[in-house]
Amino acid sequence: MNSFLRCLSCHAVYAINEPIWKCACGGLLDIKVDFSGTKQWETVKFPGLWKYLPFIPLPDKSIIITLGEGQTPIIRYLYENQEILIKQEQLFPTGSYKDRGAAVMISAIKAMGIRSVVEDSSGNAGCSVAAYCAKAGIDCSIYVPASTSRAKLMQISAYGARVVKVEGTREDTARMVLSAASQNYYASHSWNPFFFQGTKTFAYEVWEQTEGKLPDAIILPVGNGTLFLGVYKGFHDLLSIGLIEKIPRMVGVQASLCAPLSHWEKLDFGGIPIDVNTIAEGIAIQKPVRGAQIIEALHQTHGMILEVEEEEIEMALRLAVEQGFFVEPTGVVGLAGTIQYLKRFSEVGKVLTAFTGHGLKSPEKILSVLSH
Ligand SMILES: *Cc1c(COP(=O)(O)O)cnc(C)c1O
Ligand SMILES: [Zn+2]
């Protein structure tokens, strides 16, 4: 048996090298990974996240597009005498953890012989896809909301990608790219199943770095859930291989101004007033395409969604820079949520969060927060 693509809606299956990003029925694809060749832990001597190559499904494992991503450190942080573990996911070639997903996704796309892709992003995913496309020699257009941070736009064009600015919301950008995707392959961080095969390596690293003594709760920012779902998937792999007995409690953090996942069951996003003008621009997603999967991960792990106010994000940003961590506002949402979690609940056990994007992504926003 080999790994294959599978539709989450109609359960149709496709070969791993099929150049599609959604099912013929319109449904989301997932990858059913075959672990039969790797029943125990088996890594290879490749740099960064590629040491986990035996567990990463690809159309051709000899084609790897890498910029040296992965194996980020976990730093202990003390908040009022409580220890918080913070994985430094801002320390990536393009400045965000999105490189985990882009490295694996663009490797797969290169192996499929695809020469041109489109992607939409509020910034960081665009930077990652543009960088790995440059390395792979793939033509790339990135659709961004016109309000995206200047530094991110400049970074995307520096890699040689075409930047298409779209007026309106993040969802307007998503609509625009979908029409472009009918002619080009859609290298989407939310739709493309290979992306999550990259972000899942976060969980493998945490398991190795904590020597199997996993945190009790993993607290992460969630918009489309590309990190959150990847991490859940990674732990799920470790569970299926028999290396862990339980997946840590998965806690998602959203900005109160844009927190559709808190309302998922009641309203299914219909008619929720959402203000996307949060300083956490990277997670201002009104309709996460994999929302149902995120809710499933919450149910499976007794997890929850926390909402943080703008003031809590600003406070977390101050706490980070005070200690020398230069992180963009979206990148401290996990810390803001973790502080709220520690305040609201007792006996929380060991908690781990992540800084998800580098401060150089939006220095202006950071300075404006620190100056008032
Ligand atoms: C992409 C991103 C996230 C998580 O966003 P999702 O929409 O859940 O994938 C968090 N922080 C930063 C800095 C990001 O770029
Ligand atoms: Zn289908």
Side-chain angles (χ1 to χ4, degrees):
M1 242 257 298
N2 289 312
S3 300
F4 56 86
L5 304 171
R6 188 176 53 184
C7 173
L8 289 175
S9 307
C10 75
H11 307 293
V13 300
Y14 301 90
I16 196 83
N17 60 352
E18 194 88 39
I20 54 174
W21 54 270
K22 65 173 177 183
C23 180
C25 82
L28 289 154
L29 296 172
D30 219 347
I31 299 180
K32 180 85 183 103
V33 186
D34 174 23
F35 290 119
S36 60
T38 44
K39 263 301 168 208
Q40 71 285 62
W41 194 236
E42 175 197 345
T43 57
V44 292
K45 283 189 174 150
F46 286 179
L49 60 80
W50 294 103
K51 72 181 277 198
Y52 309 117
L53 188 58
F55 302 95
I56 300 175
L58 283 175
D60 180 347
K61 291 202 180 192
S62 70
I63 297 176
I64 289 173
I65 310 297
T66 180
L67 295 167
E69 55 290 324
Q71 303 300 337
T72 55
I74 295 174
I75 304 292
R76 290 183 165 72
Y77 180 95
L78 276 186
Y79 177 77
E80 295 182 352
N81 289 323
Q82 297 189 79
E83 186 181 76
I84 301 174
L85 299 175
I86 310 182
K87 197 157 164 61
Q88 305 294 306
E89 295 287 289
Q90 80 280 28
L91 303 181
F92 271 90
T94 78
S96 87
Y97 78 84
K98 298 280 192 326
D99 291 357
R100 291 187 189 277
V104 171
M105 177 174 70
I106 300 300
S107 297
I109 288 173
K110 181 73 178 171
M112 291 170 194
I114 289 162
R115 310 265 276 279
S116 167
V117 303
V118 294
E119 153 75 319
D120 60 312
S121 159
S122 62
N124 288 336
C127 292
S128 293
V129 170
Y132 288 84
C133 279
K135 185 83 201 286
I138 293 173
D139 180 84
C140 167
S141 298
I142 308 287
Y143 288 66
V144 295
S147 59
T148 298
S149 277
R150 226 160 48 96
K152 295 180 187 177
L153 291 177
M154 292 192 283
Q155 192 182 357
I156 294 169
S157 25
Y159 295 126
R162 216 167 295 109
V163 177
V164 185
K165 283 194 207 172
V166 182
E167 293 297 332
T169 66
R170 180 68 186 78
E171 270 62 34
D172 295 322
T173 308
R175 263 191 296 280
M176 278 283 280
V177 79
L178 278 172
S179 68
S182 58
Q183 270 101 51
N184 290 279
Y185 187 80
Y186 188 24
S188 166
H189 58 293
S190 46
W191 279 90
N192 199 292
F194 285 100
F195 200 92
F196 300 85
Q197 295 297 319
T199 52
K200 77 176 186 181
T201 57
F202 177 111
Y204 295 177
E205 289 177 18
V206 169
W207 179 69
E208 284 194 328
Q209 287 170 312
T210 59
E211 294 172 342
K213 296 183 195 72
L214 286 179
D216 298 284
I218 309 271
I219 305 172
L220 297 171
V222 183
N224 273 312
T226 62
L227 183 59
F228 187 86
L229 282 175
V231 173
Y232 176 65
K233 195 174 283 295
F235 284 126
H236 206 274
D237 287 356
L238 296 174
L239 193 69
S240 350
I241 304 164
L243 294 168
I244 62 172
E245 275 157 18
K246 183 167 164 257
I247 299 179
R249 176 180 227 191
M250 296 289 302
V251 178
V253 190
Q254 299 214 288
S256 300
L257 289 180
C258 186
L261 289 163
S262 305
H263 309 279
W264 172 274
E265 276 150 311
K266 272 177 289 179
L267 297 159
D268 201 9
F269 309 126
I272 312 166
I274 280 173
D275 176 355
V276 293
N277 286 317
T278 164
I279 52 166
E281 60 172 33
I283 52 166
I285 305 294
Q286 276 171 286
K287 293 183 181 166
V289 291
R290 292 184 185 266
Q293 278 179 286
I294 297 169
I295 299 299
E296 174 66 14
L298 298 175
H299 284 321
Q300 292 296 330
T301 65
H302 306 289
M304 64 176 83
I305 293 288
L306 300 175
E307 290 185 29
V308 290
E309 303 294 335
E310 297 297 290
E311 297 72 39
E312 293 176 271
I313 302 171
E314 294 177 8
M315 173 59 78
L317 188 60
R318 283 196 195 91
L319 291 172
V321 291
E322 266 169 27
Q323 301 224 356
F325 299 101
F326 197 47
V327 184
E328 67 171 298
T330 311
V332 298
V333 165
L335 177 59
T338 305
I339 289 170
Q340 189 190 104
Y341 188 76
L342 294 177
K343 285 182 175 158
R344 277 174 58 184
F345 305 101
S346 51
E347 316 268 326
V348 291
K350 186 153 99 174
V351 295
L352 180 139
T353 184
F355 287 145
T356 49
H358 202 284
L360 291 172
K361 297 279 192 174
S362 58
E364 292 97 343
K365 267 193 187 171
I366 294 173
L367 281 183
S368 91
V369 167
L370 298 179
S371 69
H372 63 254

